[in-house]
Amino acid sequence: METRLPVMDRHTDPATRQLLSYLISKKLKFNRYKTIHVSLLYVSAIYGMIVLYTGYKRIVIPHDYSFMHVFSAFLEKGTYHYLFLLAAGLFGAVKIMYDKKEKAEKEFHALRCEIIDRSKDLWKEEGWKQRHKIFEQMKKMYDINLYHETK
């Protein structure tokens, strides 16, 4: 995907263009991790419900007269060990992706705030008057707000 804006060449110097391109790549990385995290969360939640439901129907209901019978039936059926282990692994993967998403968001937000703080240094003279065009395109194309530091 193109990480440059058409207006960028006329109103910015090479260092600012590089900084904005890096900001766009950070945003795309954050969006990718966010999508993976949400997808993995839904898959693991649905899989977990299916495993719990089938375990309830095939282990708990036939042996519901005693907890020890339920527990021993669970231990006897080896396939459920792997199903529960896979469910735990999926939820662990969700946690890992959540951590990666949070790290990418912090990096993106820190770089965005740095650009906002240094905007007077990055755009000089004529570029300062035209920077709003770049800010509007960043907001429209990549949903990156460079007007204010708040998320």
Side-chain angles (χ1 to χ4, degrees):
M1 181 172 223
E2 181 67 28
T3 60
R4 293 184 53 158
L5 298 172
V7 176
M8 223 187 265
D9 292 331
R10 293 188 304 253
H11 304 296
T12 58
D13 61 338
T16 306
R17 278 191 292 253
Q18 182 67 28
L19 198 58
L20 290 173
S21 295
Y22 191 59
L23 180 69
I24 292 169
S25 67
K26 289 284 186 185
K27 175 68 174 183
L28 295 176
K29 180 180 176 183
F30 166 65
N31 285 343
R32 185 176 66 245
Y33 281 142
K34 184 177 175 182
T35 303
I36 292 171
H37 171 254
V38 169
S39 302
L40 200 56
L41 182 65
Y42 285 137
V43 166
S44 63
I46 290 170
Y47 179 78
M49 285 189 277
I50 290 170
V51 167
L52 287 176
Y53 178 75
T54 56
Y56 179 75
K57 290 293 255 182
R58 295 191 179 184
I59 294 177
V60 175
I61 290 179
H63 304 284
D64 65 349
Y65 47 88
S66 171
F67 176 74
M68 287 306 291
H69 285 97
V70 171
F71 190 68
S72 64
F74 175 74
L75 292 178
E76 287 175 2
K77 300 195 187 248
T79 57
Y80 285 106
H81 296 138
Y82 297 118
L83 294 177
F84 277 106
L85 186 64
L86 182 61
L90 279 173
F91 282 108
V94 168
K95 173 65 175 147
I96 290 170
M97 289 310 297
Y98 176 78
D99 292 341
K100 285 185 177 185
K101 177 188 73 107
E102 288 296 313
K103 181 181 177 192
E105 182 180 19
K106 285 179 185 173
E107 290 174 354
F108 164 70
H109 186 66
L111 183 60
R112 190 177 69 81
C113 288
E114 181 182 344
I115 290 174
I116 292 169
D117 289 340
R118 293 179 43 199
S119 64
K120 290 185 181 181
D121 298 333
L122 296 174
W123 286 277
K124 304 237 186 231
E125 300 162 9
E126 187 62 32
W128 179 258
K129 296 175 186 169
Q130 301 298 321
R131 79 186 192 293
H132 69 281
K133 292 179 182 177
I134 294 173
F135 288 3
E136 288 172 5
Q137 281 194 346
M138 294 283 277
K139 179 68 175 163
K140 185 173 66 173
M141 293 175 70
Y142 298 104
D143 194 30
I144 298 174
N145 183 5
L146 292 175
Y147 291 108
H148 304 287
E149 287 187 18
T150 58
K151 293 181 183 181

